[in-house]
Amino acid sequence: MGVSVQDDSTGSNGQGGFGNSSSGDGAFVKDVQSGSGADDAGITSGSTITQVDGNTVTSATQLTHLMVPYQPGDQVKVQWTDASGQSHSATIDLGSSTPS
């Protein structure tokens, strides 16, 4: 997908900086790989991924488990909330997970 995530509970760092980072309701996006499917869809650092192909995401660990059956070239429908609290959804083309 092209994102680095962490659990919401560890994403707050006390002050947090993002209103949705300590809610426990998704996988907090720390970074988005330039040119990735997530980047193309408009997912940004500070967003929280809340659903993948209709499955609710409650943590970064769960997101990782949900992504196991997918291969590069597959498509997944992702829902997320951006740092300002707006909800979004898009179908993302999965690329390889090779480091850049």
Side-chain angles (χ1 to χ4, degrees), residues 1 11 16 33 40 44:
M1 186 180 317
Q33 183 179 19
D40 291 345
T44 57

Side-chain angles (χ1 to χ4, degrees), residues 12-99:
S12 64
N13 289 3
Q15 302 288 30
F18 301 104
N20 58 357
S21 62
S22 60
S23 66
D25 294 327
F28 179 76
V29 178
K30 294 188 302 185
D31 191 38
V32 180
Q33 183 179 19
S34 179
S36 67
D39 185 36
D40 291 345
I43 297 175
T44 57
S45 178
S47 297
T48 300
I49 297 174
T50 57
Q51 210 173 83
V52 172
D53 275 349
N55 297 296
T56 300
V57 175
T58 58
S59 69
T61 302
Q62 184 188 23
L63 175 62
T64 300
H65 289 295
L66 287 171
M67 296 306 297
V68 167
Y70 296 100
Q71 301 294 321
D74 288 347
Q75 293 185 328
V76 293
K77 183 172 183 180
V78 178
Q79 290 185 315
W80 71 95
T81 304
D82 65 24
S84 67
Q86 292 235 338
S87 295
H88 304 270
S89 69
T91 299
I92 294 177
D93 293 318
L94 300 179
S96 68
S97 59
T98 38

